[in-house]
Amino acid sequence: MLVCLSIPLAAAVVGMRRWRNRAPRREDFGRREVYTGASKAESAGAQMRAAESSTELHLAHLLLQEAADQCDVVADTGERLTIEAKAELK
């Protein structure tokens, strides 16, 4: 059951990061590439990094949701987790 106590903290961290990822940053729109003069927000590299970050955060959210669901089942049934299940939740 101690494994399940870390899930709310991890969920809070992922939630804060997801909120920060959604909020556009002013400095991204005003900065320009040194060589081309194009906006950094419109560059393919910046968009790729933003997409990768968004994908990783979505995956973290799904993993936390699955772990929380497993902890709910343990709390409802009162059964102890096996060593393998504890390792998987960590």
Side-chain angles (χ1 to χ4, degrees), residues 2-64:
L2 289 176
V3 174
C4 295
L5 294 177
S6 64
I7 292 175
L9 176 62
V13 171
V14 169
M16 287 186 289
R17 188 59 207 163
R18 286 179 76 189
W19 177 82
R20 180 65 178 111
N21 225 30
R22 288 183 188 157
R25 292 183 273 179
R26 272 187 263 144
E27 60 268 11
D28 290 343
F29 293 107
R31 297 178 69 190
R32 298 272 178 201
E33 291 285 343
V34 175
Y35 299 109
T36 63
S39 172
K40 284 205 176 215
E42 295 174 5
S43 74
Q47 291 181 7
M48 188 65 133
R49 286 189 297 276
E52 287 175 357
S53 176
S54 179
T55 301
E56 289 172 359
L57 285 169
H58 184 67
L59 178 61
H61 173 75
L62 291 175
L63 288 171
L64 279 170

Side-chain angles (χ1 to χ4, degrees), residues 1-8 67-83 85-87 89-90:
M1 195 64 174
L2 289 176
V3 174
C4 295
L5 294 177
S6 64
I7 292 175
D69 290 344
Q70 288 179 4
C71 287
D72 285 344
V73 168
V74 168
D76 290 342
T77 62
E79 294 179 16
R80 291 183 170 258
L81 289 172
T82 63
I83 294 174
K86 287 180 186 178
L89 283 176
K90 284 185 178 184

